[in-house]
Amino acid sequence: MALLVGAALLGLHFLASAFSQMPLTPVKLRYYHYAADYLDPYFAQNWMLFAPDPLSDNRGILARAACPNGSTTGFYDVTTKYVEKAQGSRFFPSRMSRLVTGSVQQINGGDPVLTRLRESEKEKKRKELPLTPYEKTSQKEALRFLSRYSLTQIPHVCGGNPERIQIRMYIQQLPPWSKRHDPKAEDKVDVQDMGWVKVRDL
């Protein structure tokens, strides 16, 4: 009996994983949030390694807080230490850095079909297609998670009692491999500030 239950649970896990990676369809728009609630953040799938255009940039977040006395802290880097920890342990790397990069990808990355449609509309100088309900929900959940995560990384700010928190996402575009020996090749950093989020709402 235990073997049957284990097999059924394993089957449901693989079904949820496969469903999360299927192309955008009306069924996925309607039911994706059930799979996402189960998979995120530890079982989230990311196939960028096998994609035609694998990631070639560094992504992370900074966070700052607003205190009850009206002051605002500076930005704290809540990403780098986990990236360095993962890079320092090749055989048993920490998965903590994936919590951030996966959520950043969730905010900035969309369905390839919709991305191509938006790029096509932009080239034609037409009004950009609005976000779908699925995209809005996905981005909202990712921002909420990143805000909660950041609070755990800066527990000392505002005497341990911050009122609001703000996330700043950065994407560092690295020079192409063909220019790796070019001393004039420079990185390009894109920064996006998200809106303030009340701590009590997290």
Side-chain angles (χ1 to χ4, degrees), residues 107 114 156:
I107 291 176
L114 291 175
H156 58 282

Side-chain angles (χ1 to χ4, degrees), residues 41-47 79 82-83 86 94-104 145-146:
Y42 295 106
F43 299 117
Q45 303 296 308
N46 186 340
W47 301 106
T79 306
Y82 290 113
V83 172
S94 169
R95 295 170 62 90
M96 285 294 290
S97 61
R98 292 186 61 188
L99 298 179
V100 173
T101 55
S103 296
V104 171
F145 171 79
L146 289 174

Side-chain angles (χ1 to χ4, degrees), residues 99-153:
L99 298 179
V100 173
T101 55
S103 296
V104 171
Q105 177 68 20
Q106 189 175 340
I107 291 176
N108 292 311
D111 185 86
V113 175
L114 291 175
T115 300
R116 287 196 298 270
L117 280 174
R118 290 193 174 102
E119 289 175 354
S120 176
E121 294 296 302
K122 187 176 181 180
E123 289 175 0
K124 297 175 183 177
K125 297 183 179 180
R126 294 179 181 173
K127 186 177 180 181
E128 185 174 341
L129 294 172
L131 295 175
T132 64
Y134 159 72
E135 289 176 306
K136 291 179 181 178
T137 301
S138 179
Q139 290 184 6
K140 184 177 180 181
E141 289 176 352
L143 176 59
R144 183 179 173 85
F145 171 79
L146 289 174
S147 299
R148 286 200 310 263
Y149 165 84
S150 298
L151 280 174
T152 67
Q153 302 304 304

Side-chain angles (χ1 to χ4, degrees), residues 80-95:
T80 301
K81 68 177 181 178
Y82 290 113
V83 172
E84 292 176 346
K85 188 175 181 181
Q87 292 174 345
S89 178
R90 295 298 184 181
F91 293 106
F92 302 101
S94 169
R95 295 170 62 90

Side-chain angles (χ1 to χ4, degrees), residues 5 22 40 146:
V5 172
M22 68 182 288
D40 290 337
L146 289 174

